[in-house]
Structure formats: C-alpha cells, structure tokens
Amino acid sequence: MKLGNETLVSQFLLEGLTDTEELRHLLFAIFLLVYIVAVVGNLGIVSLIIMDSRLHTPMYFFLANLSLLDTAYISNTVPQVLVHLLAPVRTMPYHACLTQIFFLHFLAPWECFLLTAMAYDRYVATCQPLHYLVLMGPRTRTGLASISGLLALANALTHTILAARLKFCGPRLITHFFCDLPPLMKLSCSSTWANELALFFFSFLVALAPCALVVISYIHVVAAILRIRSAEGRRKAFSTCAAHIMVVCVFYVASVLCYILPSSAYSGSRDRVLSVLSVVLTPMLSPIIYSLWNKEVKRALLKALGKESAP
C-alpha cells in the first residue's frame, strides 16, 4: 500500500536464526528447553521467597522482582522465535513489532536499575549492617523498585514513539530473529538521527551509569570485607555478593554491546549472538546462579523438597 512516494508497511519479514531445516528443529528444541528452564527456575525462585519466611528480607524482595522481570523478558521474544523456527515464512505485523520493541526497552532497563538497587542493598548490608533494616525498609525498597520501573517506562516510550515516526519505503526484511531498533532503523528511508541520539543517550542512562554505580558500591563492599579479620567471615560476606556480580557482568556486557554502537555499525551476526546471550541465556542463568551460589536459596529449596526440617 502506497501513499505518495511512501510505502505503508503493514508487516515485516524476520531473517531468523537459520534457514537450514535440520538446524531449525535442533534450535527449536534448544530454545524450548531454555525457555522452560528459565520460566520454571525464575517462578520457582519467586515461590521460594514467598513461602520461606527466612527470605523475607530486602535482598530477596529485589531478587523476586528480578525473577519476575526475567520471566517477562524472555517471554517477550522466545515464544515468537519458537513459532518462527517452525514457520515457512517469518512475518511480524507492524504494530506487533513496535509492541515487542516497547517491552524489550521497558523490561531490560528495569532489570538494569534493579541490579543497581541490589548492589546498593549489598553495600548497606556490608558497610552499615546495624542500620540495614532501617535504611532498606519497605518504603525504601518499594520506592527503588518503583523509580526503576518509571525510568524504564520513560526509556521504552521514548524509543517506541520515535520508532513509530520512522518511514519505510521498500525493504522490509529485518536482519534479526526478533524486532529491535538497530536493524529496524536500517530499513528506514527517513532520518534516524533522533533514534540514534536516543539510543546513545539512554545507553549511558540505562546501562553505563547504573554499571558505574554498581562498581562504586562494590568497591566499598570489597573494602569493607577486606577489613574483616576472620577468613570465614570474609568468605561468607563474599558469597552473598558473588551471584549478583556474575549476573551483572553477563547482563551488562551483552546489553551495552548490543545498543551502545550506532546502527551504521550494526552487524547482524554479531548482534544475534549477543542477543541470544542477553535476551535468552541471561534469564535462564540467573536462577541457576542464585541457586548454586546462594546458601539461603538452597536451604529454602531443600526445605520445600522436604529434605530439611523447618527451624
């Protein structure tokens, strides 16, 4: 459908992950398994936190929110990827593409800000333990989670509104396995400078600034831990932070590399690899990491399985 010299695009084609028939079925099985593990693992973490009163602390309030976000985050892309792996033609309606972009740029930044709040929680717990429950009371942690959501919403609305203003004059093949801004901007026949500027600005606001705050928090945490005289005390203190640090590293590295570069430097194969890491594997790895590295979560799991008696 055309209006003047402009083409009104009603749907896009997605390049997908592969066109090889055997690989498509193998990838379908792998992605389905990863999706099931991620959803069951994250909802399992939330259930354990709700059921076990020992986990009713600020740290696990943030972890429960993070697990819910991970469930929503992976559900925004993987079900569509699974359908496209079995479909002969991989199409995405225009409005569905914008909707996917909105939730992608809403859920991922919210997770970034929550990870920063969790770093602050570890800073308070380690550096000011006597005031921990006061400083991280219900109003504080609810406020941090709410502000994180509002900042993420501002990010998502900005990118979605700017994407909706783009004009498309012909090519409609998105060189990716889901709708995202860099490959979508490559198809636009109108100026993308506002989108480029917004991506660059929000990359600092959403990724680099929170990452800097996480680093600053953990510099203070490490300094406080090193002042602990007991080796057992230092080991215990480090163990409470190890899982969070691992999740932060995986999430931030992939997210920053995906969005900090301008669309002119966009590489389809590079971005697909990073997107699988960020959008698919990170939500699956989070509950596994926290289950393996966090003694309280492991104790709650054993109790739920009936292998540990209640205190």
Side-chain angles (χ1 to χ4, degrees):
M1 180 178 174
K2 294 187 176 181
L3 184 62
N5 293 324
E6 297 174 10
T7 302
L8 298 181
V9 175
S10 60
Q11 63 180 9
F12 294 101
L13 295 173
L14 295 176
E15 189 173 72
L17 290 166
T18 181
D19 288 319
T20 306
E21 192 69 23
E22 294 78 8
L23 280 179
R24 288 172 69 177
H25 287 89
L26 176 62
L27 288 174
F28 177 87
I30 293 173
F31 273 67
L32 179 61
L33 177 61
V34 168
Y35 182 64
I36 292 172
V37 171
V39 172
V40 172
N42 281 294
L43 293 183
I45 292 284
V46 175
S47 301
L48 288 176
I49 292 171
I50 292 173
M51 292 187 300
D52 197 316
S53 59
R54 293 175 297 184
L55 302 182
H56 294 175
T57 64
M59 174 183 174
Y60 295 104
F61 167 82
F62 291 119
L63 180 56
N65 280 272
L66 186 69
S67 296
L68 289 174
L69 282 178
D70 275 333
T71 303
Y73 189 42
I74 195 171
S75 297
N76 184 47
T77 53
V78 172
Q80 166 246 309
V81 172
L82 291 173
V83 171
H84 284 176
L85 282 170
L86 298 181
V89 181
R90 298 178 287 269
T91 60
M92 174 75 83
Y94 174 78
H95 291 99
C97 184
L98 289 182
T99 301
Q100 189 172 65
I101 286 173
F102 171 82
F103 282 107
L104 181 67
H105 290 273
F106 174 55
L107 297 169
W110 197 350
E111 185 160 342
C112 283
F113 293 129
L114 267 184
L115 288 170
T116 308
M118 293 174 74
Y120 174 69
D121 171 81
R122 292 299 83 205
Y123 160 76
V124 175
T126 306
C127 301
Q128 302 185 53
L130 298 179
H131 304 287
Y132 176 61
L133 293 179
V134 175
L135 292 174
M136 295 302 296
R139 290 183 61 181
T140 301
R141 55 181 181 260
T142 302
L144 287 172
S146 300
I147 292 172
S148 299
L150 289 174
L151 289 173
L153 180 61
N155 175 75
L157 287 174
T158 301
H159 288 310
T160 307
I161 291 170
L162 289 174
R165 294 170 62 86
L166 294 175
K167 295 180 176 62
F168 302 95
C169 304
R172 58 194 184 104
L173 176 64
I174 296 176
T175 55
H176 210 342
F177 61 92
F178 61 87
C179 277
D180 201 3
L181 282 175
L184 186 67
M185 287 190 291
K186 294 285 285 186
L187 301 180
S188 176
C189 58
S190 59
S191 174
T192 61
W193 72 267
N195 306 76
E196 298 273 7
L197 184 62
L199 269 179
F200 188 76
F201 172 75
F202 279 104
S203 291
F204 281 95
L205 176 65
V206 170
L208 298 185
C211 188
L213 292 175
V214 170
V215 171
I216 292 170
S217 295
Y218 274 110
I219 288 174
H220 288 283
V221 168
V222 170
I225 291 175
L226 292 177
R227 288 196 295 268
I228 299 175
R229 296 181 179 180
S230 165
E232 177 63 21
R234 288 196 298 270
R235 188 197 61 78
K236 184 177 180 181
F238 271 120
S239 68
T240 64
C241 305
H244 180 250
I245 292 173
M246 291 181 65
V247 171
V248 166
C249 289
V250 172
F251 185 87
Y252 276 89
V253 168
S255 298
V256 170
L257 289 177
C258 278
Y259 297 108
I260 196 67
L261 296 176
S263 63
S264 58
Y266 173 79
S267 166
S269 57
R270 180 214 72 186
D271 204 65
R272 276 193 287 270
V273 172
L274 292 172
S275 294
V276 168
L277 175 63
S278 176
V279 178
V280 181
L281 293 183
T282 302
M284 181 198 71
L285 291 174
S286 292
I288 295 174
I289 292 171
Y290 277 105
S291 297
L292 293 176
W293 287 72
N294 190 289
K295 288 186 177 181
E296 287 79 9
V297 172
K298 285 194 286 188
R299 279 200 297 263
L301 179 60
L302 290 174
K303 180 182 175 182
L305 295 175
K307 296 183 179 180
E308 179 186 86
S309 58

